[in-house]
């Protein structure tokens, strides 16, 4: 009969269904598993697959809070109760745009929003999330408490008065970043509508000047030179050096500020009055190797260990056509020592220099985040202070502190002096665009004997000098933060 | 345990599935359990029970597993559709009741299916008319002619045409299989088959390797010639092979008329299965497949929307095809949904159906945002099942379909008369092929074309037609098993 044929046809049907099961297994499980070995794009990573992105909008992200608990970023439900859609809201508009960043479906993420994304979406603690789900809670993200200070940030922003520039303030002993200002800023609430425009906007508001902008440091660099001089044991604060203007440095005569000549001066005086020729000679005597050694100890040559995405962190150093140089390259080390040559630094780098001196020569990793907490208040992760390294001996740091205190007491930095609190610091004024305008700087810390706060202030393209425009702002910021 | 009692207990998993499924969806929505929705489930179960009692009354010998398996698939579908949209689930539940009514009517009026044989040409013409209707009255959906709008209802005549064509073929071949091959029902000698096959292989190799002819057309041409040679060697009666050529021509024409590769594959596959079982000649099947392949190749290169479907299948991740309307967007989204489900799925009601902020109850209509995977309630329902119930859930659905097909084939094996055998095999095969066409399309095994997943996808026509299919199979099995029981042979 025909039963043999019927059996064969059924065999074919079974084969077809086996094929279907095979293909379903491939799509559901095998493809993404195999891409781990083949390096092809997994379905879950495919740019056309917006599933995981969209899914994030169904759950509120965690809050980003200031040090005293004010909302810097929160999620609002713009959908309905039964079909929620959470969109980021930044209540303080442009005030914390750079450190906090933004998070939008079509524009991606930046700043803390990006660095702490796993915590904010609740992914950092899978086990905890499963427990939450089993207990019937919603699987929402954890909150991030930052170290940022709203009032000081506001005051610092106002103090810049809209001038392009940057201010960073951090605690020397812990590395806690309390202020991170970059002007011009942008309103992260409007990013969703204009992310591509923002990248090309005039004045580069998207750029975090505190961590990405590379400026010539001017005389603030002399703090590093002085640290190298004292800590190497070759100099003491009382060592004297010829301070005439026009001494050959790197084979070319170097002028002092205003062409002023000094006699034989000690290093304290040379720092107080920012005598270029003295520090140029000191650096030449120390040699490029020692100078670079101390520059690297302070953090130059690599991105700062800050909790921001690496794309938003620039290393400081001596650059040739964008490439970093080291001690083996032909560099005019005498001019590097006074912040000239091709030396470029970020404001965060210079704040770290001040903080390291303030902390007795120990450099702490700067930190924007303080702790990650579940919604119910349980602390999931405390972000402890991390020591990067000892940069110089405590005694060298103490001597340098005294020299810097003298700068504010009677030198170029008197405008930073606070009533009743002794401030240590250093001014800087780098000529840019052929001397037409200045990059003004002040770095410093206070109180001198028990430093609680270190600060770096810089202003782009100003007519003023570090001592006249940057030092007064540093004073205001220190005053606010030391209250 | 009697067959009917087994059927009754077969409905227990159905009731569990309905209850668990509805509860899971409700929990996922964190709604309160509404009495209305629970009522759907209860009504559905009562309807199943009534269906069972009806079978007990009218077809006491019928296969005990077909009805529970169909109900299981329908319950699966109802739960998934309920998860998509409550209103659509209510409609589907109503269609289910209508379907059961039609099922009962079929059983009442077609007590003996041999009666159908008398009307086979009428049925064939009705089938052709049904197929041609959308081309005349309807509008294209993505280039294919598959549906007619009857006010609020979209009628898909192809679902019924598939039954008509299988009935015609089974009936015609049951009467003519002997004469078709001049009374030689034994298989042809192996030496002849080997000689023809070997010659064809040599010619194909010569064409490709020596003359450098394009591979695919050469192979296709040689296979076709070999199959024709094998058929001619049988010296078939031209008078009797004529109607078969007609049916084949119809299937090809249908490809032209409805322009849908998937439904054509389903019809044509059903045709070839019945033909093979009737004649036990692979040569017919090989000739048919190579002709169909030639036709399909022609379509894939000349008709735009078929061409798009094929290129979307060959290279779904080409960004141009993804962005193009009617391109591979639906396919890759369905892959993403399956991948998102993984082994165990996201859980009923827990996958992302719409972008966030869109009400789940937004009826698919203008003004509603489109779901992530287009057509989650019809074409892509398998992708949604894989997404929410995982590989295990999807394979479970496939296995239920396979069991259903197996029960259909079992009827054919038990049956004593040709017509019952051929009709049971044809109906089961067409059911299995329909599953293959849609699931194969959604998983990328074959180009994606829009047919429904039987009993599971939303849609009245599909549910009606498939209930008739179950009714026919049950009638066949009642007759076959009654006869077998009387002879005490099983």
């Amino acid at each position: 009969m025909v039963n043999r044929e019927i059996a064969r046809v059924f065999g074919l049907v079974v084969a077809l269904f086996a094929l279907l099961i095979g293909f379903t297994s491939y799509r559901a499980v095998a493809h993404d598993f195999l891409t781990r070995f083949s390096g092809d794009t997994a379905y879950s990573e495919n740019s056309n697959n917006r599933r995981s992105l969209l899914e994030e909008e169904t759950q509120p992200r965690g809050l980003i809070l200031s040090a005293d608990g004010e909302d810097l970023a929160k999620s609002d439900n713009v959908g309905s109760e039964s079909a929620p859609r959470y969109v980021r809201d930044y209540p303080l508009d442009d005030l914390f745009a750079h450190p906090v960043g933004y998070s939008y479906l079509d524009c991606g993420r930046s700043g803390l929003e990006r660095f702490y994304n796993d915590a904010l979406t609740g992914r950092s603690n899978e086990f905890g999330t499963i427990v939450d789900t089993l207990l019937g809670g919603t699987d929402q993200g954890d909150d991030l408490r930052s170290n940022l200070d709203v009032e000081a940030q506001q005051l610092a922003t106002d103090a810049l008065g809209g001038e392009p520039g940057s201010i960073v303030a951090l605690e020397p002993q812990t590395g806690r970043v309390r202020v991170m200002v970059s002007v011009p800023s942008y309103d992260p609430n409007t990013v969703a509508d204009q992310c591509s425009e923002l990248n090309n906007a005039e004045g580069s508001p998207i750029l975090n000047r505190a961590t990405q902008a590379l400026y010539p440091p001017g005389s603030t660099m002399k703090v590093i030179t002085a640290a190298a001089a004292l800590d190497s044991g070759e100099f003491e604060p009382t060592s004297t050096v010829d301070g005439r203007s026009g001494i050959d440095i790197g084979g070319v005569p170097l002028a002092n500020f205003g062409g002023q000549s000094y006699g034989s001066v000690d290093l304290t005086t040379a720092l107080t009055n920012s005598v270029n020729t003295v520090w140029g000679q000191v650096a030449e005597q120390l040699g490029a190797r020692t100078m670079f050694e101390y520059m690297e100890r302070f953090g130059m040559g690599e991105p700062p260990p800050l909790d921001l995405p690496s794309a938003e962190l620039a290393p400081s150093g001596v650059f040739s056509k964008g490439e970093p140089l080291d001690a083996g390259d032909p560099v005019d080390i005498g001019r590097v020592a006074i912040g000239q040559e091709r030396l470029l630094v970020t404001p965060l780098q210079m704040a770290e220099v001040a903080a390291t001196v303030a902390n007795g020569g120990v450099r702490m990793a700067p930190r924007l985040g303080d702790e990650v907490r579940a919604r119910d208040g349980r602390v999931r992760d405390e972000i402890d202070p991390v020591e990067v390294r000892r940069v110089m001996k405590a005694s060298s740091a103490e001597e340098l502190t005294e020299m810097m205190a003298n700068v504010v007491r009677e030198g170029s930095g008197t405008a930073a002096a606070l009533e009743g609190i002794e401030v240590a610091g250093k001014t800087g004024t780098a000529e840019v665009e052929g001397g037409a305008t200045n990059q003004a700087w002040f770095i410093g810390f206070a109180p001198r004997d028990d430093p609680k706060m270190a600060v770096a202030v810089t202003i782009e393209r100003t007519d003023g000098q570090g001592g006249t425009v940057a030092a007064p702002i540093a004073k205001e910021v220190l005053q606010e933060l030391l209250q | 345990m009697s067959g009917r009692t087994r059927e009754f207990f077969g409905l227990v998993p159905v009731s569990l599935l309905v209850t668990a499924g509805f509860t899971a969806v409700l929990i996922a929505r964190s709604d309160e359990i509404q009495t209305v929705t629970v009522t759907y489930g209860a009504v559905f179960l009562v309807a199943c029970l009534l269906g069972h009692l009806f079978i007990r009354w009218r077809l006491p010998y019928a296969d005990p597993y077909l009805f529970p398996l169909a109900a299981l698939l329908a319950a699966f579908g109802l739960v998934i559709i309920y998860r998509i949209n409550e209103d659509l689930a209510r409609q589907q539940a109503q269609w289910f009741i209508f379907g059961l009514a039609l099922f009962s009517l079929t059983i009442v009026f077609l007590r003996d299916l041999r009666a159908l044989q008398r009307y086979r040409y009428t049925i064939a013409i009705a089938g052709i008319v049904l197929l041609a209707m959308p081309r005349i009255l309807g509008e294209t959906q993505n280039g294919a002619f598959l549906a007619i709008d009857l006010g609020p209802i979209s009628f898909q005549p192809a679902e019924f045409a598939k039954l008509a064509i299988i009935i015609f073929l089974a009936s015609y071949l049951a009467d003519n299989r002997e004469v078709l091959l001049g009374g030689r029902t034994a298989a042809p000698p192996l030496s002849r088959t080997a000689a023809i096959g070997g010659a064809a292989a040599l010619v194909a190799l010569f064409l490709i390797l020596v003359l450098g002819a394009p591979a695919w057309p050469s192979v296709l041409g040689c296979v076709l010639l070999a199959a024709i040679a094998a058929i001619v060697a049988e010296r078939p009666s031209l008078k009797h092979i004529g109607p078969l050529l007609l049916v084949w021509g119809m299937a090809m024409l249908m490809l032209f008329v409805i322009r849908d590769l998937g439904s054509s594959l389903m019809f044509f596959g059903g045709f070839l299965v019945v033909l093979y079982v009737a004649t036990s000649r692979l040569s017919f099947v090989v000739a048919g497949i190579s002709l169909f392949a030639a036709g399909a190749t022609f379509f894939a290169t000349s008709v735009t929307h078929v061409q798009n479907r094929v290129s979307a299948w060959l290279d779904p991740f080409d960004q141009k095809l993804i962005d193009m309307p009617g391109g591979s967007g639906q396919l890759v989204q369905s892959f993403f949904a399956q991948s998102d489900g993984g082994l165990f799925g996201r859980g009923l009601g827990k996958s992302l159906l719409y972008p966030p902020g869109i009400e789940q109850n937004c009826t698919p209509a203008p003004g509603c945002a489109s779901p992530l995977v287009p057509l989650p309630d019809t074409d892509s329902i398998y992708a949604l099942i894989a997404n929410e119930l995982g590989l295990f859930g999807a394979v479970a659905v496939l296995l239920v379909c396979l069991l259903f097909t197996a029960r259909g084939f079992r009827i054919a094996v038990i049956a004593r008369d040709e017509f019952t055998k051929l009709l049971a095999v044809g109906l089961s095969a067409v059911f299995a092929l329909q599953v293959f066409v849609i699931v194969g399309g959604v998983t990328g095994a074959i180009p994606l074309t829009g047919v429904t997943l039987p009993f599971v996808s939303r849609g009245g026509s599909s549910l009606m037609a498939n209930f008739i299919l179950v009714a026919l199979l049950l009638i066949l099995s009642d007759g076959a098993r009654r006869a077998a029981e009387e002879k005490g042979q099983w």
Side-chain angles (χ1 to χ4, degrees):
Chain A
M1 278 301 275
V2 288
N3 281 355
R4 192 186 51 189
E5 281 73 27
I6 295 174
R8 281 184 190 159
V9 172
F10 186 66
L12 179 71
V13 169
V14 171
L16 288 181
F17 273 69
L19 186 72
L20 294 182
I21 292 176
F23 265 86
T24 311
S25 312
Y26 179 68
R27 302 300 175 200
V29 180
H31 178 277
D32 276 17
F33 181 74
L34 292 175
T35 52
R36 287 191 213 166
F37 309 106
S38 68
D40 290 343
T41 315
Y43 290 150
S44 56
E45 304 290 327
N46 192 292
S47 60
N48 292 292
N49 189 356
R50 288 160 56 84
R51 233 159 233 284
S52 59
L53 281 177
L54 290 170
E55 235 153 35
E56 274 173 19
E57 282 202 331
T58 63
Q59 298 292 340
R61 283 170 79 78
L63 301 168
I64 297 179
L65 302 160
S66 73
D68 52 2
E70 195 172 341
D71 290 353
L72 304 184
K74 60 191 176 78
S75 286
D76 293 343
N77 184 2
V78 298
S80 63
E81 188 76 23
S82 55
R85 174 170 170 247
Y86 291 94
V87 171
R88 234 17 184 171
D89 177 36
Y90 302 93
L92 299 181
D93 301 331
D94 60 357
L95 190 60
F96 285 100
H98 296 100
V100 170
Y102 54 80
S103 171
Y104 290 109
L105 208 61
D106 295 310
C107 304
R109 302 187 183 92
S110 72
L112 291 173
E113 290 272 33
R114 181 161 162 194
F115 193 87
Y116 289 102
N117 187 52
D118 283 353
L120 291 166
T121 53
R123 252 182 303 184
S124 58
N125 198 331
E126 285 293 341
F127 181 70
T129 315
I130 291 168
V131 171
D132 286 346
T133 312
L134 289 178
L135 292 175
T138 53
D139 29 319
Q140 56 188 353
D142 295 336
D143 296 341
L144 172 73
R145 182 200 280 273
S146 73
N147 294 315
L148 294 162
D149 183 307
V150 176
E151 278 170 37
Q153 178 90 1
Q154 184 68 58
L155 179 128
T157 307
D158 294 346
L160 276 176
E163 294 282 322
S166 174
I167 299 172
V168 176
L170 45 83
E171 293 177 3
Q173 291 87 354
T174 58
R176 289 201 170 97
V177 178
R178 308 302 304 278
V179 168
M180 181 175 278
V181 174
S182 172
V183 174
S185 189
Y186 63 94
D187 183 353
N189 292 305
T190 64
V191 163
D193 309 320
Q194 49 170 24
C195 35
S196 56
E197 288 97 323
L198 201 57
N199 282 322
N200 306 317
E202 205 186 324
S204 309
I206 199 89
L207 184 80
N208 185 354
R209 285 167 160 75
T211 57
Q212 288 177 284
L214 289 167
Y215 300 121
S219 300
T220 54
M221 178 61 192
K222 288 169 187 165
V223 175
I224 295 179
T225 311
L230 300 173
D231 200 52
S232 65
E234 295 191 41
F235 293 89
E236 286 172 21
T238 50
S239 308
T240 55
V241 181
D242 181 3
R244 278 177 297 126
S245 187
I247 292 175
D248 276 3
I249 298 291
V252 182
L254 177 67
N256 285 333
F257 182 69
Q260 195 170 353
S261 273
Y262 299 82
S264 197
V265 291
D266 63 25
L267 292 189
T268 302
T269 315
L271 194 71
T272 307
N273 297 315
S274 204
V275 183
N276 287 343
T277 49
V278 169
W279 296 108
Q281 292 171 83
V282 166
E284 289 200 327
Q285 190 178 327
L286 291 170
R289 189 178 301 276
T290 306
M291 279 301 292
F292 268 93
E293 162 71 19
Y294 278 88
M295 285 158 66
E296 280 158 20
R297 285 191 190 184
F298 275 105
M300 291 195 188
E302 54 188 42
L306 180 69
D307 44 358
L308 280 183
S310 57
E312 293 166 40
L313 298 173
S316 303
V318 183
F319 293 92
S320 172
K321 291 174 186 141
E323 293 299 313
L325 304 180
D326 60 31
D329 293 304
V331 170
D332 181 354
I333 200 66
R335 281 184 169 75
V336 168
I338 60 166
Q340 296 184 3
E341 241 271 40
R342 292 159 292 178
L343 179 63
L344 294 171
V345 299
T346 63
L348 175 66
Q349 171 65 68
M350 295 320 287
E352 281 191 76
V353 169
T356 303
V357 178
N359 194 34
V362 175
R363 184 172 155 234
M364 304 299 292
R367 281 283 181 272
L368 284 163
D370 180 32
E371 63 181 22
V372 176
R373 285 189 305 189
R375 273 296 156 90
D376 57 15
R378 276 178 297 159
V379 175
R380 290 222 204 267
D381 183 19
E382 254 181 286
I383 302 152
D384 294 325
V386 174
E387 181 183 320
V388 180
R389 66 166 297 160
R390 175 167 283 283
V391 174
M392 60 186 137
K393 294 190 284 281
S395 57
S396 314
E398 178 51 36
E399 289 166 351
L400 188 49
T401 301
E402 174 50 29
M403 288 163 72
M404 289 170 72
N406 215 43
V407 173
V408 177
R409 217 178 287 135
E410 58 192 50
S412 56
T414 50
L418 283 171
E419 207 163 314
I421 301 171
E422 204 176 352
V423 179
K426 181 72 191 87
T427 59
T429 309
E431 295 183 347
V432 290
E433 293 173 357
T437 58
N438 296 328
Q439 179 77 31
W441 284 91
F442 182 87
I443 66 171
F445 54 89
R448 175 211 178 292
D449 293 322
D450 180 20
K452 293 281 184 246
M453 200 59 61
V455 69
V457 177
T458 190
I459 301 160
E460 291 175 18
R461 291 171 202 187
T462 169
D463 295 332
Q465 284 98 41
T468 59
V469 294
I473 295 174
K475 172 191 167 183
E476 278 187 71
V477 174
L478 285 173
Q479 193 165 32
E480 167 69 27
L481 284 168
L482 290 173
Q483 268 176 6
Chain B
M1 207 189 311
S2 82
R4 294 279 69 79
T5 311
R6 272 182 277 164
E7 181 175 81
F8 176 77
F9 283 113
L11 289 172
V12 171
V14 179
S15 62
L16 287 178
L17 180 74
V18 169
T19 315
F22 274 70
T23 313
V25 174
L26 285 170
I27 288 173
R29 285 195 197 151
S30 52
D31 285 347
E32 310 231 329
I33 295 184
Q34 298 158 342
T35 45
V36 191
T37 51
V38 174
T39 314
Y40 292 154
V43 167
F44 177 84
L45 290 176
V46 168
C48 286
L49 203 61
L50 288 176
H52 160 71
L53 291 174
F54 183 81
I55 299 168
R56 197 178 264 271
W57 173 43
R58 301 293 302 211
L59 302 171
Y61 289 91
D63 186 288
Y65 299 114
L66 278 168
F67 183 72
L69 287 169
L72 195 60
L73 287 175
F76 226 104
L78 196 66
V79 169
I80 296 286
I81 294 165
Y82 176 70
R83 177 260 176 278
I84 298 170
N85 185 322
E86 262 174 66
D87 296 334
L88 294 180
R90 189 170 51 234
Q91 284 173 24
Q92 183 74 359
Q94 284 165 3
W95 281 119
F96 184 80
I97 306 289
F98 281 130
L100 268 181
L102 198 59
F103 169 84
S104 312
L105 287 176
T106 311
I107 291 174
V108 170
F109 285 104
L110 292 176
R111 191 67 201 268
D112 187 356
L113 284 183
R114 269 160 288 198
L116 288 176
Q117 287 185 276
R118 262 178 281 150
Y119 304 107
R120 64 176 172 232
Y121 289 103
T122 318
I123 290 172
I125 289 167
I128 297 171
V129 170
L130 281 171
L131 273 179
M133 260 162 70
R135 183 64 195 250
I136 301 159
L137 302 169
E139 286 169 10
T140 62
Q141 282 178 340
N142 303 322
F145 291 90
L146 289 169
I148 309 168
D149 272 327
L150 298 175
I153 309 163
S154 172
F155 176 60
Q156 300 204 314
E159 294 279 355
F160 297 92
K162 77 182 179 200
L163 301 178
I165 296 209
I166 295 296
I167 292 171
F168 166 75
L169 276 171
S171 160
Y172 180 82
L173 287 169
D175 286 354
N176 296 301
R177 61 182 282 265
E178 302 263 335
V179 279
L180 196 64
L181 294 168
R184 291 179 302 275
T185 46
L190 198 65
S191 57
R192 189 168 76 199
T193 314
I196 294 172
L202 283 177
V203 173
L205 281 176
F206 177 77
L207 280 174
I208 298 166
L209 297 179
V210 181
L211 299 183
W216 170 238
S218 312
V219 169
L220 205 59
C222 290
V223 167
L224 182 58
L225 284 177
I228 290 174
I231 294 171
V232 170
E234 298 264 1
R235 280 168 285 134
S237 143
L238 266 189
K239 189 180 109 192
H240 292 104
I241 215 167
L244 286 184
L245 285 175
L246 201 71
V247 172
W248 173 80
M250 229 168 65
M252 294 313 282
L253 195 68
M254 229 168 55
L255 208 63
F256 279 88
V257 173
I258 62 180
R259 296 196 190 167
D260 188 64
L261 215 53
S263 357
S264 307
L265 182 70
M266 188 172 96
F267 284 102
F268 204 63
F271 164 64
L272 289 179
V273 164
V274 177
L275 189 59
Y276 173 68
V277 172
T279 64
S280 31
R281 290 296 182 278
L282 262 182
S283 50
F284 281 114
V285 178
V286 172
I289 288 177
S290 45
L291 277 173
F292 184 79
T297 309
F298 169 74
F299 267 94
T301 48
S302 61
V303 176
T304 321
H305 86 269
V306 179
Q307 204 178 343
N308 289 346
R309 289 292 171 96
V310 172
S311 41
W313 169 63
L314 289 173
D315 189 11
F317 285 96
D318 180 346
Q319 193 62 41
K320 249 184 285 171
L321 286 171
I322 291 177
D323 296 335
M324 187 176 74
S328 61
Q330 180 179 359
L331 196 58
V332 300
Q333 289 306 328
S334 128
F335 292 170
F336 295 155
Q338 292 169 61
S339 159
D340 187 45
L343 213 50
F344 302 102
R346 301 294 299 260
L348 264 178
K350 287 194 174 165
S351 79
L352 198 63
L353 194 60
Y354 288 97
I358 308 292
E359 287 293 339
Q360 300 279 308
N361 264 347
C362 185
T363 324
C368 269
S370 47
L372 288 187
V373 183
L375 308 172
D377 51 339
T378 54
D379 290 7
S380 307
I381 199 162
Y382 184 75
L384 182 61
I385 291 172
N387 194 350
E388 304 214 325
L389 302 173
L391 178 60
F392 286 130
V395 168
V397 171
L398 287 181
L399 289 181
V400 173
C401 292
L402 186 61
L403 278 177
F404 184 91
T405 313
R407 294 316 294 183
F409 276 77
R410 170 122 188 101
I411 297 170
V413 171
I414 295 173
R416 287 279 165 270
D417 70 298
E418 303 282 302
F419 175 63
T420 303
K421 273 185 184 301
L422 293 181
L423 186 54
V425 161
L427 292 175
S428 313
V430 100
F431 174 89
L433 278 168
Q434 187 164 348
V435 175
F436 180 73
V437 165
I438 186 59
V439 175
V442 168
T443 55
I446 56 169
L448 176 63
T449 52
V451 300
T452 56
L453 186 56
F455 292 111
V456 182
S457 291
R458 185 178 70 84
S461 311
S462 168
L463 207 54
M464 300 290 108
N466 284 310
F467 262 115
I468 295 178
L469 188 143
V470 182
L472 294 176
L473 284 176
L474 284 175
I475 295 167
L476 291 175
S477 86
D478 186 57
R481 290 161 65 104
R482 186 191 300 268
E485 180 131 304
E486 277 160 10
K487 287 183 184 173
Q489 280 184 350
W490 60 289

